[in-house]
Amino acid sequence: MPVEPRDFYEILGVQRNASADEIKRSYRNLARKYHPDVNPDPEAAEKFKEIQSAYDILGDQQKRERYDQYGMAAFSGSGAEAGSPFGAGFPFSDLFDLFGQATSTRNPSAPARGDDLRYDLELTLEEVAEGVSKTITYPHMEKCEVCSGSGARAGTDPETCPQCRGTGQVRFTQNTLLGTFQSVQPCGRCRGTGKIIANPCQSCNGGGRVRKQRERTVSIPAGVETGTRLRVSGEGDAGERGGPSGDLYVFLYVKDHDTFVREGLDIGCEVAVSIFRATLGGTITVPIIGGTEELKIEPGTQPGQIYTLKGKGLPEVHGRGRGNQQVVIKVQVPTKLSAEQRQAVEQLAASFGDKVEEHSEKTGIFGRVFGKH
Ligand SMILES: [Zn+2]
Ligand SMILES: [Zn+2]
């Protein structure tokens, strides 16, 4: 059994008899407060999702009526409705763009909006560092060109539904001990559209849409991360019988990199140097994203010592600066020595008296292992 979500009126903080305007106002206030762009608290993102789901239903007159009558049962079996199409929409859908879309009031018998679609897109760290344009191909429902989306065969028009006389709704009157109740439901004959198609278009069988491959170039800003979603407005499925299109959501995944690990805007890598270079110091060549960089290490560099290349991390997605690159030094000890080399090392060891410098600190290996310093 899925968990029954909280009451949508309660989530939006309005009375059950609130007007559409009151609901809209309350939604806007809450969304401004909890939008992930504004409120970094992870609980806010959850809250925002909840608010969005509630508004998705209550902000739509037809869905609200269904919800009032049947509760969430009216939407079960259709995940797209219960889970809001926006979710915790990150961070490119501009807040007001979001509102413009979500608050459009709709005639209840107007053709339904098409479905939102999801496309999963994999990126390399190099692409994340630079930003990239990607051409993607995906199937979606497009308006049928033969009938211009009406669903009716050329030369004919959809007819007014005789059952509901074009209103798309039917009223039921129920007599009970407590009095007479009227309830309104979408008309079954015309599925709430108010129109029936006597002569369906042969190209789309009356649905007004046909399935097609769509090619589209999406530009991905630098600095995105796994879980970022981009909304491409109006690129989802076309609505039935000329209804507005849904949106396309591009979900981004950043592939693991062979050399670098990522931590927010920072990246890190390990670089091996010989015990002699570590001892003497000098300049080494280290990989950076998309190239190499010279790095000066000091004499006496220790295994695990970290050098920072400022500004060589990833750009912040809104263009506010860049992260750094951390270079962790790995010291390599030679495993094979020629007779001469062995002699030289023995001499060197003798000159040190073969003593290890006193060097014990609690924060060494264990600090790193446990992430404490
Ligand atoms: Zn058609
Ligand atoms: Zn009807």
Side-chain angles (χ1 to χ4, degrees):
M1 275 296 281
V3 181
E4 186 77 4
R6 283 208 298 139
D7 180 65
F8 284 157
Y9 289 96
E10 197 182 309
I11 290 168
L12 291 182
V14 293
Q15 300 290 320
R16 291 194 84 82
N17 60 4
S19 71
D21 267 326
E22 280 166 5
I23 289 175
K24 192 196 286 183
R25 225 176 3 234
S26 175
Y27 160 72
R28 283 185 178 217
N29 286 337
L30 291 168
R32 280 208 189 95
K33 198 159 139 201
Y34 291 108
H35 192 280
D37 277 1
V38 183
N39 192 330
D41 186 348
E43 270 179 30
E46 273 314 300
K47 186 106 178 140
F48 182 74
K49 230 189 267 181
E50 205 179 46
I51 293 162
Q52 198 69 60
S53 302
Y55 186 71
D56 195 38
I57 303 295
L58 297 188
D60 181 304
Q61 190 56 33
Q62 208 174 28
K63 287 183 188 167
R64 183 180 173 188
E65 275 167 19
R66 272 161 70 196
Y67 179 72
D68 285 349
Q69 273 191 296
Y70 306 111
M72 273 320 287
F75 306 97
S76 60
S78 140
E81 301 232 36
S84 143
F86 297 108
F90 268 132
F92 302 99
S93 45
D94 171 68
L95 201 51
F96 296 99
D97 170 28
L98 206 74
F99 287 145
Q101 227 248 337
T103 54
S104 62
T105 45
R106 215 171 66 201
N107 172 358
S109 62
R113 179 176 178 272
D115 286 334
D116 292 326
L117 298 177
R118 167 181 179 146
Y119 188 95
D120 293 335
L121 182 60
E122 224 177 30
L123 300 171
T124 63
L125 201 59
E126 282 81 2
E127 288 169 334
V128 169
E130 294 291 318
V132 65
S133 267
K134 286 268 188 188
T135 301
I136 60 175
T137 309
Y138 59 98
H140 82 163
M141 300 297 280
E142 263 176 38
K143 189 158 102 173
C144 171
E145 276 162 19
V146 177
C147 62
S148 305
S150 75
R153 190 176 300 189
T156 71
D157 282 318
E159 289 162 20
T160 302
C161 171
Q163 183 97 26
C164 62
R165 291 188 210 87
T167 62
Q169 298 180 335
V170 282
R171 282 173 195 281
F172 291 94
T173 308
Q174 246 184 323
N175 292 309
T176 73
L177 287 175
L178 298 171
T180 302
F181 290 96
Q182 274 210 332
S183 65
V184 179
Q185 280 185 13
C187 170
R189 176 106 185 248
C190 61
R191 290 190 294 152
T193 62
K195 300 245 193 283
I196 51 171
I197 291 161
N199 297 297
C201 164
Q202 281 166 312
S203 168
C204 62
N205 293 321
R209 336 180 272 178
V210 285
R211 182 162 290 280
K212 277 198 178 154
Q213 286 292 324
R214 174 89 168 126
E215 197 180 276
R216 160 107 209 172
T217 303
V218 193
S219 65
I220 292 139
V224 294
E225 55 192 4
T226 293
T228 302
R229 326 190 215 181
L230 305 171
R231 194 181 89 186
V232 189
S233 195
E235 291 293 339
D237 280 345
E240 274 186 80
R241 287 177 297 278
S245 293
D247 298 328
L248 171 69
Y249 286 85
V250 181
F251 282 59
L252 302 180
Y253 293 87
V254 183
K255 274 188 268 195
D256 283 343
H257 198 276
D258 290 339
T259 307
F260 301 106
V261 290
R262 175 182 188 172
E263 175 89 42
L265 300 184
D266 289 342
I267 57 169
C269 68
E270 272 189 341
V271 172
V273 300
S274 73
I275 192 168
F276 312 108
R277 179 55 58 221
T279 307
L280 299 171
T283 303
I284 61 171
T285 303
V286 299
I288 59 171
I289 294 182
T292 58
E293 180 99 347
E294 305 281 88
L295 171 67
K296 241 193 177 142
I297 63 170
E298 59 206 32
T301 289
Q302 299 296 317
Q305 194 166 334
I306 297 170
Y307 288 91
T308 301
L309 294 171
K310 284 233 180 296
K312 296 294 174 191
L314 298 168
E316 203 272 336
V317 76
H318 299 289
R320 302 181 200 118
R322 279 185 96 98
N324 301 321
Q325 177 176 337
Q326 313 292 354
V327 179
V328 182
I329 301 293
K330 236 167 50 175
V331 175
Q332 273 178 344
V333 178
T335 50
K336 278 182 193 145
L337 296 174
S338 67
E340 274 166 47
Q341 287 167 331
R342 191 180 167 81
Q343 211 176 8
V345 174
E346 275 170 355
Q347 257 177 25
L348 183 66
S351 76
F352 273 101
D354 206 10
K355 272 197 188 130
V356 174
E357 281 178 62
E358 285 302 323
H359 188 76
S360 64
E361 45 167 336
K362 265 191 197 154
T363 54
I365 290 290
F366 288 106
R368 274 185 236 294
V369 169
F370 298 118
K372 291 177 209 145
H373 287 276

